[in-house]
Amino acid sequence: MTPALHAEWTKLRTVAAPRWLLLGSIAATVALSAAVTSVVTCTSAGCGGDVTRLSLIGVQIGQAPVAVLAVLVIAGEYGTGMIRTTLTATPHRITALAAKAVVLTGSVAAAGTVAVLGSLLAGRLTLPGRGFTDAHGHPALSLADGPTLRAATGSILYLILIALFSLGVATVLRDSATGIGVVLGLLYLFPVLAQVIGDPHWQRPLQRIGPSVGLAVQATGDVRGLPIGPWAGLGVTAGWAAATLTAAALLLHIRDA
């Protein structure tokens, strides 16, 4: 396993695309969060708003570069034919896939931590100036607050799970363009359909089954009113990741390179 990890880490750090995608994820996450928190206002005591979730809204777009990176980690090798070299160097195919998953997890965890902390810092700095103050019932954002810490930690875990989900999809499809299209479609289609469909009979299931429902972990207020609980939502995302990785491992084992 160690040689396979070293090989995957070498490939990831010596190619420009992964670095730019990780930096892009950080920049997109923090920029969107900062933009949103700089325009919202709270003009009176008791004004609504989940300031933690608001500060972490950038994760919704920051997940896209993470998904693209995860797809390219293996689908890119199928496109260039390098997958044959990888599997020759690591004949045990499940080990090769596991090594990619471990290196991807570490990289996304590091980038996700920077992105999430940057977003919370942006919210802490800008929200008081927009009226979200103690006087209005909104204390400054702090990781010492249990729900905020859970939202921050959960957001990082969510990005990791999206990366693993995307890796699994890409391994099954073996094509970069198709993999990216399928992953981004699944991530963003369910929330859009849930908004478009007005019938609660169909709307609620759509709000509870997509891979992006793990973003519910960011909620810190009115949790009981959510279509799905914070940790339950993250569990659904984990289920998508586990299912695609299981299918990926099976197909990688039985198919020709």
Side-chain angles (χ1 to χ4, degrees), residues 5-61:
L5 287 172
H6 184 266
E8 293 304 325
W9 170 240
T10 299
K11 284 187 279 187
L12 193 70
R13 68 182 176 82
T14 55
V15 178
R19 292 197 300 272
W20 286 111
L21 286 168
L22 289 172
L23 289 173
S25 177
I26 295 171
T29 301
V30 177
L32 179 59
S33 295
V36 171
T37 55
S38 66
V39 297
V40 294
T41 57
C42 179
T43 58
S44 62
C47 62
D50 186 336
V51 293
T52 300
R53 193 170 197 176
L54 197 64
S55 298
L56 294 172
I57 195 170
V59 174
Q60 294 185 23
I61 191 161

Short mmCIF file of all heavy atoms in Angstrom, two decimals, residues 5-61:
data_model
loop_
_atom_site.label_atom_id
_atom_site.label_comp_id
_atom_site.label_asym_id
_atom_site.label_seq_id
_atom_site.Cartn_x
_atom_site.Cartn_y
_atom_site.Cartn_z
N LEU A 5 0.53 4.56 -2.42
CA LEU A 5 0.25 5.90 -1.87
C LEU A 5 1.29 6.91 -2.34
O LEU A 5 0.95 8.04 -2.72
CB LEU A 5 0.22 5.85 -0.34
CG LEU A 5 -0.98 5.17 0.30
CD1 LEU A 5 -0.76 5.02 1.81
CD2 LEU A 5 -2.26 5.98 0.04
N HIS A 6 2.55 6.50 -2.31
CA HIS A 6 3.63 7.39 -2.75
C HIS A 6 3.46 7.74 -4.22
O HIS A 6 3.65 8.90 -4.64
CB HIS A 6 4.98 6.73 -2.51
CG HIS A 6 6.14 7.62 -2.85
ND1 HIS A 6 6.75 7.58 -4.10
CD2 HIS A 6 6.79 8.57 -2.14
CE1 HIS A 6 7.72 8.47 -4.14
NE2 HIS A 6 7.78 9.08 -2.95
N ALA A 7 3.08 6.76 -5.02
CA ALA A 7 2.90 7.00 -6.45
C ALA A 7 1.75 7.96 -6.71
O ALA A 7 1.86 8.89 -7.53
CB ALA A 7 2.65 5.68 -7.16
N GLU A 8 0.64 7.76 -6.01
CA GLU A 8 -0.52 8.62 -6.22
C GLU A 8 -0.24 10.04 -5.73
O GLU A 8 -0.66 11.03 -6.36
CB GLU A 8 -1.75 8.05 -5.51
CG GLU A 8 -2.25 6.75 -6.09
CD GLU A 8 -2.58 6.85 -7.56
OE1 GLU A 8 -3.05 7.92 -7.99
OE2 GLU A 8 -2.36 5.87 -8.29
N TRP A 9 0.48 10.16 -4.61
CA TRP A 9 0.82 11.49 -4.10
C TRP A 9 1.76 12.20 -5.07
O TRP A 9 1.62 13.40 -5.31
CB TRP A 9 1.44 11.36 -2.72
CG TRP A 9 2.05 12.64 -2.21
CD1 TRP A 9 3.34 12.87 -1.87
CD2 TRP A 9 1.35 13.88 -1.98
NE1 TRP A 9 3.52 14.17 -1.45
CE2 TRP A 9 2.31 14.81 -1.50
CE3 TRP A 9 0.03 14.29 -2.13
CZ2 TRP A 9 1.99 16.13 -1.18
CZ3 TRP A 9 -0.30 15.61 -1.81
CH2 TRP A 9 0.66 16.50 -1.35
N THR A 10 2.69 11.46 -5.64
CA THR A 10 3.63 12.05 -6.60
C THR A 10 2.87 12.56 -7.83
O THR A 10 3.12 13.67 -8.33
CB THR A 10 4.68 11.02 -7.04
OG1 THR A 10 5.42 10.60 -5.89
CG2 THR A 10 5.64 11.63 -8.05
N LYS A 11 1.92 11.75 -8.32
CA LYS A 11 1.14 12.17 -9.49
C LYS A 11 0.30 13.41 -9.18
O LYS A 11 0.21 14.33 -10.00
CB LYS A 11 0.23 11.03 -9.94
CG LYS A 11 0.95 9.93 -10.69
CD LYS A 11 0.00 8.90 -11.26
CE LYS A 11 -0.43 7.90 -10.24
NZ LYS A 11 -1.24 6.80 -10.82
N LEU A 12 -0.26 13.45 -8.00
CA LEU A 12 -1.14 14.57 -7.65
C LEU A 12 -0.36 15.88 -7.48
O LEU A 12 -0.81 16.94 -7.95
CB LEU A 12 -1.90 14.25 -6.36
CG LEU A 12 -3.07 15.18 -6.03
CD1 LEU A 12 -4.22 14.94 -7.01
CD2 LEU A 12 -3.56 14.96 -4.60
N ARG A 13 0.80 15.80 -6.85
CA ARG A 13 1.52 17.04 -6.56
C ARG A 13 2.40 17.53 -7.70
O ARG A 13 2.84 18.68 -7.69
CB ARG A 13 2.38 16.86 -5.29
CG ARG A 13 3.55 15.90 -5.43
CD ARG A 13 4.32 15.76 -4.13
NE ARG A 13 5.39 14.77 -4.22
CZ ARG A 13 6.59 15.01 -4.73
NH1 ARG A 13 6.88 16.23 -5.18
NH2 ARG A 13 7.50 14.06 -4.78
N THR A 14 2.66 16.68 -8.69
CA THR A 14 3.52 17.10 -9.79
C THR A 14 2.76 17.54 -11.03
O THR A 14 3.36 17.94 -12.03
CB THR A 14 4.48 15.95 -10.19
OG1 THR A 14 3.71 14.78 -10.49
CG2 THR A 14 5.47 15.66 -9.07
N VAL A 15 1.44 17.48 -10.97
CA VAL A 15 0.60 17.93 -12.09
C VAL A 15 -0.07 19.23 -11.67
O VAL A 15 -0.54 19.37 -10.53
CB VAL A 15 -0.45 16.86 -12.45
CG1 VAL A 15 -1.35 17.34 -13.57
CG2 VAL A 15 0.24 15.56 -12.84
N ALA A 16 -0.15 20.18 -12.58
CA ALA A 16 -0.66 21.51 -12.24
C ALA A 16 -2.16 21.52 -11.97
O ALA A 16 -2.64 22.24 -11.09
CB ALA A 16 -0.33 22.49 -13.37
N ALA A 17 -2.93 20.73 -12.72
CA ALA A 17 -4.39 20.79 -12.62
C ALA A 17 -4.93 20.56 -11.21
O ALA A 17 -5.79 21.33 -10.75
CB ALA A 17 -5.01 19.79 -13.59
N PRO A 18 -4.46 19.54 -10.49
CA PRO A 18 -4.98 19.35 -9.13
C PRO A 18 -4.76 20.55 -8.22
O PRO A 18 -5.63 20.92 -7.44
CB PRO A 18 -4.21 18.11 -8.64
CG PRO A 18 -3.86 17.36 -9.87
CD PRO A 18 -3.59 18.42 -10.89
N ARG A 19 -3.57 21.15 -8.30
CA ARG A 19 -3.30 22.33 -7.47
C ARG A 19 -4.26 23.46 -7.78
O ARG A 19 -4.81 24.10 -6.87
CB ARG A 19 -1.85 22.79 -7.67
CG ARG A 19 -0.80 21.86 -7.15
CD ARG A 19 0.55 22.56 -7.02
NE ARG A 19 1.03 23.08 -8.29
CZ ARG A 19 1.75 22.38 -9.14
NH1 ARG A 19 2.05 21.11 -8.87
NH2 ARG A 19 2.19 22.91 -10.27
N TRP A 20 -4.46 23.72 -9.07
CA TRP A 20 -5.36 24.80 -9.45
C TRP A 20 -6.81 24.51 -9.07
O TRP A 20 -7.56 25.42 -8.69
CB TRP A 20 -5.25 25.08 -10.95
CG TRP A 20 -3.98 25.77 -11.33
CD1 TRP A 20 -2.93 25.28 -12.04
CD2 TRP A 20 -3.61 27.11 -10.97
NE1 TRP A 20 -1.93 26.21 -12.15
CE2 TRP A 20 -2.32 27.35 -11.50
CE3 TRP A 20 -4.24 28.13 -10.25
CZ2 TRP A 20 -1.66 28.56 -11.35
CZ3 TRP A 20 -3.58 29.34 -10.08
CH2 TRP A 20 -2.31 29.56 -10.63
N LEU A 21 -7.21 23.27 -9.17
CA LEU A 21 -8.58 22.92 -8.79
C LEU A 21 -8.79 23.06 -7.29
O LEU A 21 -9.84 23.55 -6.84
CB LEU A 21 -8.91 21.50 -9.25
CG LEU A 21 -9.14 21.35 -10.76
CD1 LEU A 21 -9.16 19.89 -11.16
CD2 LEU A 21 -10.46 22.02 -11.16
N LEU A 22 -7.81 22.65 -6.50
CA LEU A 22 -7.92 22.80 -5.04
C LEU A 22 -7.92 24.28 -4.65
O LEU A 22 -8.72 24.71 -3.81
CB LEU A 22 -6.79 22.05 -4.35
CG LEU A 22 -6.87 20.52 -4.39
CD1 LEU A 22 -5.60 19.90 -3.83
CD2 LEU A 22 -8.10 20.01 -3.63
N LEU A 23 -7.03 25.05 -5.27
CA LEU A 23 -7.01 26.49 -5.00
C LEU A 23 -8.30 27.15 -5.49
O LEU A 23 -8.82 28.06 -4.83
CB LEU A 23 -5.80 27.13 -5.69
CG LEU A 23 -4.43 26.81 -5.10
CD1 LEU A 23 -3.31 27.37 -5.98
CD2 LEU A 23 -4.32 27.37 -3.67
N GLY A 24 -8.82 26.66 -6.62
CA GLY A 24 -10.08 27.19 -7.12
C GLY A 24 -11.24 26.91 -6.19
O GLY A 24 -12.13 27.75 -6.00
N SER A 25 -11.22 25.72 -5.58
CA SER A 25 -12.27 25.37 -4.63
C SER A 25 -12.22 26.29 -3.41
O SER A 25 -13.25 26.78 -2.95
CB SER A 25 -12.10 23.91 -4.19
OG SER A 25 -13.05 23.57 -3.21
N ILE A 26 -11.01 26.54 -2.91
CA ILE A 26 -10.86 27.44 -1.76
C ILE A 26 -11.33 28.85 -2.12
O ILE A 26 -12.11 29.47 -1.39
CB ILE A 26 -9.38 27.48 -1.31
CG1 ILE A 26 -8.96 26.12 -0.77
CG2 ILE A 26 -9.18 28.56 -0.23
CD1 ILE A 26 -7.46 26.01 -0.50
N ALA A 27 -10.86 29.35 -3.27
CA ALA A 27 -11.20 30.71 -3.68
C ALA A 27 -12.70 30.87 -3.91
O ALA A 27 -13.31 31.86 -3.47
CB ALA A 27 -10.43 31.08 -4.95
N ALA A 28 -13.30 29.90 -4.61
CA ALA A 28 -14.73 29.98 -4.90
C ALA A 28 -15.57 29.94 -3.62
O ALA A 28 -16.54 30.69 -3.47
CB ALA A 28 -15.14 28.85 -5.83
N THR A 29 -15.18 29.05 -2.71
CA THR A 29 -15.92 28.92 -1.45
C THR A 29 -15.87 30.20 -0.64
O THR A 29 -16.91 30.72 -0.20
CB THR A 29 -15.35 27.75 -0.63
OG1 THR A 29 -15.44 26.55 -1.38
CG2 THR A 29 -16.11 27.58 0.68
N VAL A 30 -14.68 30.71 -0.43
CA VAL A 30 -14.52 31.92 0.40
C VAL A 30 -15.13 33.13 -0.30
O VAL A 30 -15.79 33.96 0.34
CB VAL A 30 -13.03 32.16 0.72
CG1 VAL A 30 -12.87 33.46 1.51
CG2 VAL A 30 -12.47 30.98 1.51
N ALA A 31 -14.94 33.24 -1.61
CA ALA A 31 -15.44 34.41 -2.33
C ALA A 31 -16.97 34.48 -2.28
O ALA A 31 -17.54 35.55 -2.02
CB ALA A 31 -14.96 34.38 -3.78
N LEU A 32 -17.64 33.35 -2.54
CA LEU A 32 -19.10 33.36 -2.51
C LEU A 32 -19.62 33.64 -1.11
O LEU A 32 -20.55 34.42 -0.93
CB LEU A 32 -19.65 32.03 -3.02
CG LEU A 32 -21.18 31.91 -3.02
CD1 LEU A 32 -21.80 33.00 -3.89
CD2 LEU A 32 -21.62 30.53 -3.49
N SER A 33 -19.00 33.01 -0.12
CA SER A 33 -19.42 33.25 1.27
C SER A 33 -19.24 34.70 1.65
O SER A 33 -20.13 35.32 2.26
CB SER A 33 -18.61 32.35 2.22
OG SER A 33 -18.90 30.98 1.99
N ALA A 34 -18.10 35.28 1.29
CA ALA A 34 -17.84 36.69 1.62
C ALA A 34 -18.81 37.60 0.89
O ALA A 34 -19.29 38.60 1.46
CB ALA A 34 -16.40 37.05 1.25
N ALA A 35 -19.11 37.28 -0.37
CA ALA A 35 -20.04 38.11 -1.13
C ALA A 35 -21.44 38.10 -0.53
O ALA A 35 -22.09 39.15 -0.40
CB ALA A 35 -20.08 37.63 -2.59
N VAL A 36 -21.89 36.92 -0.14
CA VAL A 36 -23.25 36.80 0.41
C VAL A 36 -23.34 37.49 1.77
O VAL A 36 -24.28 38.24 2.04
CB VAL A 36 -23.67 35.33 0.51
CG1 VAL A 36 -24.97 35.19 1.29
CG2 VAL A 36 -23.81 34.73 -0.88
N THR A 37 -22.36 37.25 2.64
CA THR A 37 -22.42 37.85 3.98
C THR A 37 -22.21 39.36 3.94
O THR A 37 -22.55 40.04 4.92
CB THR A 37 -21.36 37.22 4.91
OG1 THR A 37 -20.07 37.32 4.31
CG2 THR A 37 -21.68 35.76 5.17
N SER A 38 -21.70 39.88 2.84
CA SER A 38 -21.49 41.33 2.76
C SER A 38 -22.71 42.08 2.26
O SER A 38 -22.73 43.32 2.27
CB SER A 38 -20.30 41.63 1.84
OG SER A 38 -20.58 41.26 0.51
N VAL A 39 -23.74 41.35 1.81
CA VAL A 39 -24.93 42.04 1.29
C VAL A 39 -26.19 41.81 2.12
O VAL A 39 -27.15 42.56 2.01
CB VAL A 39 -25.20 41.62 -0.18
CG1 VAL A 39 -24.05 42.05 -1.08
CG2 VAL A 39 -25.46 40.13 -0.31
N VAL A 40 -26.20 40.78 2.96
CA VAL A 40 -27.37 40.55 3.80
C VAL A 40 -27.40 41.59 4.92
O VAL A 40 -26.37 42.15 5.29
CB VAL A 40 -27.37 39.13 4.41
CG1 VAL A 40 -27.51 38.09 3.32
CG2 VAL A 40 -26.10 38.90 5.23
N THR A 41 -28.58 41.85 5.45
CA THR A 41 -28.71 42.85 6.52
C THR A 41 -29.63 42.33 7.62
O THR A 41 -30.52 41.51 7.38
CB THR A 41 -29.27 44.17 5.98
OG1 THR A 41 -30.54 43.92 5.35
CG2 THR A 41 -28.32 44.80 4.98
N CYS A 42 -29.40 42.84 8.81
CA CYS A 42 -30.25 42.57 9.97
C CYS A 42 -30.49 43.91 10.64
O CYS A 42 -29.58 44.49 11.23
CB CYS A 42 -29.57 41.59 10.91
SG CYS A 42 -30.52 41.20 12.41
N THR A 43 -31.71 44.42 10.53
CA THR A 43 -31.99 45.79 10.98
C THR A 43 -32.69 45.89 12.32
O THR A 43 -32.86 46.98 12.85
CB THR A 43 -32.83 46.51 9.93
OG1 THR A 43 -34.06 45.77 9.72
CG2 THR A 43 -32.08 46.63 8.61
N SER A 44 -33.09 44.75 12.86
CA SER A 44 -33.81 44.81 14.13
C SER A 44 -33.57 43.55 14.94
O SER A 44 -33.14 42.52 14.41
CB SER A 44 -35.32 44.99 13.90
OG SER A 44 -35.83 43.88 13.18
N ALA A 45 -33.86 43.64 16.23
CA ALA A 45 -33.68 42.48 17.11
C ALA A 45 -34.61 41.35 16.67
O ALA A 45 -35.76 41.57 16.31
CB ALA A 45 -33.98 42.87 18.55
N GLY A 46 -34.08 40.14 16.70
CA GLY A 46 -34.89 38.99 16.34
C GLY A 46 -34.97 38.71 14.86
O GLY A 46 -35.75 37.86 14.43
N CYS A 47 -34.19 39.44 14.06
CA CYS A 47 -34.23 39.18 12.60
C CYS A 47 -33.73 37.76 12.35
O CYS A 47 -32.80 37.28 12.99
CB CYS A 47 -33.39 40.19 11.84
SG CYS A 47 -31.64 40.17 12.25
N GLY A 48 -34.37 37.08 11.44
CA GLY A 48 -34.04 35.69 11.19
C GLY A 48 -32.74 35.52 10.44
O GLY A 48 -32.09 36.48 10.02
N GLY A 49 -32.37 34.27 10.27
CA GLY A 49 -31.16 33.97 9.50
C GLY A 49 -30.22 33.07 10.26
O GLY A 49 -29.92 33.33 11.43
N ASP A 50 -29.78 32.02 9.62
CA ASP A 50 -28.79 31.11 10.19
C ASP A 50 -27.42 31.61 9.73
O ASP A 50 -26.98 31.32 8.62
CB ASP A 50 -29.06 29.69 9.68
CG ASP A 50 -28.17 28.64 10.33
OD1 ASP A 50 -27.08 29.02 10.81
OD2 ASP A 50 -28.56 27.47 10.35
N VAL A 51 -26.76 32.39 10.57
CA VAL A 51 -25.53 33.05 10.15
C VAL A 51 -24.40 32.05 9.84
O VAL A 51 -23.55 32.31 8.98
CB VAL A 51 -25.06 34.08 11.20
CG1 VAL A 51 -26.04 35.24 11.28
CG2 VAL A 51 -24.87 33.45 12.56
N THR A 52 -24.38 30.93 10.53
CA THR A 52 -23.36 29.93 10.25
C THR A 52 -23.56 29.33 8.87
O THR A 52 -22.62 29.25 8.06
CB THR A 52 -23.39 28.81 11.30
OG1 THR A 52 -23.14 29.36 12.59
CG2 THR A 52 -22.32 27.76 11.00
N ARG A 53 -24.78 28.94 8.58
CA ARG A 53 -25.07 28.37 7.26
C ARG A 53 -24.85 29.41 6.17
O ARG A 53 -24.36 29.09 5.08
CB ARG A 53 -26.50 27.86 7.23
CG ARG A 53 -26.81 26.97 6.03
CD ARG A 53 -28.15 26.30 6.16
NE ARG A 53 -28.27 25.18 5.24
CZ ARG A 53 -29.32 24.37 5.19
NH1 ARG A 53 -30.34 24.54 6.03
NH2 ARG A 53 -29.36 23.38 4.33
N LEU A 54 -25.20 30.64 6.46
CA LEU A 54 -25.00 31.72 5.51
C LEU A 54 -23.52 31.90 5.21
O LEU A 54 -23.12 32.09 4.05
CB LEU A 54 -25.58 33.01 6.09
CG LEU A 54 -25.85 34.16 5.13
CD1 LEU A 54 -26.91 33.78 4.11
CD2 LEU A 54 -26.29 35.39 5.91
N SER A 55 -22.69 31.82 6.23
CA SER A 55 -21.25 31.99 6.06
C SER A 55 -20.61 30.82 5.31
O SER A 55 -19.52 30.98 4.74
CB SER A 55 -20.57 32.14 7.43
OG SER A 55 -21.03 33.29 8.09
N LEU A 56 -21.25 29.68 5.31
CA LEU A 56 -20.70 28.50 4.65
C LEU A 56 -21.37 28.22 3.30
O LEU A 56 -21.15 27.16 2.71
CB LEU A 56 -20.86 27.27 5.55
CG LEU A 56 -20.04 27.30 6.85
CD1 LEU A 56 -20.43 26.14 7.75
CD2 LEU A 56 -18.54 27.26 6.55
N ILE A 57 -22.14 29.17 2.81
CA ILE A 57 -22.88 28.94 1.56
C ILE A 57 -21.95 28.71 0.37
O ILE A 57 -22.32 28.07 -0.61
CB ILE A 57 -23.82 30.15 1.29
CG1 ILE A 57 -24.86 29.77 0.23
CG2 ILE A 57 -23.01 31.38 0.89
CD1 ILE A 57 -25.96 30.80 0.08
N GLY A 58 -20.73 29.21 0.47
CA GLY A 58 -19.78 29.04 -0.62
C GLY A 58 -19.43 27.59 -0.91
O GLY A 58 -18.97 27.27 -2.02
N VAL A 59 -19.66 26.70 0.06
CA VAL A 59 -19.38 25.27 -0.17
C VAL A 59 -20.22 24.73 -1.32
O VAL A 59 -19.81 23.81 -2.03
CB VAL A 59 -19.63 24.46 1.12
CG1 VAL A 59 -19.50 22.96 0.88
CG2 VAL A 59 -18.67 24.90 2.21
N GLN A 60 -21.38 25.35 -1.54
CA GLN A 60 -22.25 24.88 -2.61
C GLN A 60 -21.60 24.99 -3.98
O GLN A 60 -21.87 24.18 -4.88
CB GLN A 60 -23.57 25.66 -2.60
CG GLN A 60 -24.41 25.40 -1.36
CD GLN A 60 -25.75 26.09 -1.42
OE1 GLN A 60 -26.25 26.41 -2.49
NE2 GLN A 60 -26.35 26.33 -0.27
N ILE A 61 -20.75 25.98 -4.16
CA ILE A 61 -20.04 26.10 -5.44
C ILE A 61 -18.61 25.57 -5.33
O ILE A 61 -18.06 25.07 -6.30
CB ILE A 61 -20.04 27.56 -5.94
CG1 ILE A 61 -19.55 27.59 -7.38
CG2 ILE A 61 -19.18 28.46 -5.05
CD1 ILE A 61 -19.90 28.82 -8.13
#
